Amino acid sequence: DVKVTQSSRYLVKRTGEKVFLECVQDMDHENMFWYRQDPGLGLRLIYFSYDVKMKEKGDIPEGYSVSREKKERFSLILESASTNQTSMYLCASQRQGASRRKEQFFGPGTRLTVL
Amino acid sequence: AQKITQTQPGMFVQEKEAVTLDCTYDTSDQSYGLFWYKQPSSGEMIFLIYQGSYDEQNATEGRYSLNFQKARKSANLVISASQLGDSAMYFCAMRGLNAGGTSYGKLTFGQGTILTVHP
């Protein structure tokens, strides 16, 4: 059974804290993604990675950074958390390849609250 | 740039009836793929169905079918014989090509539609 796991389901942090969200996949996928989900806005791509140590900015990278030291792990970092980063964060992975049919597999999400 | 629009924030349907969730898209890519995902209240995203832009037939997966109208740039999801367990948020998404002619598989999502199935 394929699996994407995220380190926390719920997280509460204070403004200015450094926050790490961890994502691990066991499918040997090359591509991994971080999204945030907000009501009325759907899912928006923050960063993605297509290989170890490789990363690309998504649509809303400001205030975030990422790390991919191992193929199975993709971390999202909030260097100095702010209240406008309160959101649901979803990690996804997918295999590399030219097919447009390849689906993304998602983790259960982390609901982050920044006070 | 790609854009997905889901104009129905919420939909209601009676159990055992069919329901259509709307999705329109905008892209300049000639070749692209369209996806529907379901997100129950537990939060995980579940892949439902895929339609390729050059597929000759509309996609079907069990009770899910995709009403694909390429000229109108719409890809509506039809759920037949609704069940209480179908109550969830539904997202339409698309994948095209980036400017370099390759894709790392980025998906663009719509705003989502909350479906509530009444007994």
Side-chain angles (χ1 to χ4, degrees):
Chain A
D1 193 20
V2 296
K3 210 156 181 144
V4 180
T5 56
Q6 295 183 227
S7 49
S8 306
R9 290 302 303 270
Y10 300 93
L11 209 52
V12 179
K13 295 293 182 181
R14 298 223 172 261
T15 302
E17 280 192 78
K18 191 169 187 176
V19 181
F20 292 86
L21 302 182
E22 305 284 339
C23 175
V24 178
Q25 51 97 2
D26 66 0
M27 296 165 281
D28 201 35
H29 284 167
E30 292 82 5
N31 298 348
M32 295 187 74
F33 305 82
W34 274 107
Y35 296 91
R36 65 176 281 176
Q37 180 182 354
D38 300 289
L41 297 177
L43 277 70
R44 293 178 292 167
L45 182 65
I46 304 171
Y47 266 97
F48 68 101
S49 169
Y50 50 91
D51 203 348
V52 175
K53 297 191 186 295
M54 306 301 285
K55 60 187 179 185
E56 291 277 344
K57 292 180 180 179
D59 300 317
I60 51 165
E62 296 78 19
Y64 304 94
S65 62
V66 290
S67 172
R68 188 143 180 228
E69 296 296 318
K70 292 185 177 182
K71 190 176 185 180
E72 67 271 18
R73 188 179 298 269
F74 191 35
S75 302
L76 180 69
I77 304 155
L78 287 65
E79 295 289 342
S80 178
S82 64
T83 55
N84 63 12
Q85 292 178 309
T86 291
S87 186
M88 169 74 104
Y89 290 87
L90 291 161
C91 174
S93 76
Q94 72 181 35
R95 59 181 169 81
Q96 192 84 286
S99 169
R100 274 170 206 79
R101 200 202 186 290
K102 54 185 186 287
E103 67 191 86
Q104 289 188 4
F105 295 86
F106 283 82
T110 295
R111 191 166 293 280
L112 172 68
T113 302
V114 182
L115 301 176
Chain B
Q2 292 151 12
K3 186 176 181 182
I4 295 281
T5 303
Q6 296 179 252
T7 57
Q8 306 156 315
M11 288 286 286
F12 296 88
V13 66
Q14 208 70 28
E15 195 178 9
K16 298 180 186 174
E17 292 185 351
V19 63
T20 298
L21 306 184
D22 293 342
C23 172
T24 58
Y25 60 90
D26 190 21
T27 181
S28 56
D29 292 337
Q30 294 300 308
S31 181
Y32 48 87
L34 295 152
F35 298 77
W36 277 92
Y37 280 84
K38 172 184 178 181
Q39 186 183 42
S41 57
S42 53
E44 78 275 23
M45 296 279 282
I46 302 167
F47 166 71
L48 295 178
I49 195 166
Y50 169 83
Q51 177 81 46
S53 59
Y54 286 110
D55 292 346
E56 293 186 353
Q57 293 189 330
N58 286 345
T60 60
E61 291 284 347
R63 294 186 299 110
Y64 304 108
S65 61
L66 208 150
N67 183 1
F68 180 48
Q69 298 186 45
K70 194 171 181 178
R72 298 180 62 183
K73 293 190 174 180
S74 73
N76 298 338
L77 177 70
V78 181
I79 305 174
S80 62
S82 297
Q83 302 172 356
L84 295 178
D86 293 334
S87 293
M89 175 80 87
Y90 288 81
F91 288 99
C92 180
M94 83 177 294
R95 169 183 291 136
L97 293 174
N98 67 17
T102 63
S103 170
Y104 293 117
K106 292 186 289 182
L107 289 176
T108 300
F109 285 84
Q111 307 92 319
T113 297
I114 299 175
L115 176 67
T116 303
V117 181
H118 289 303

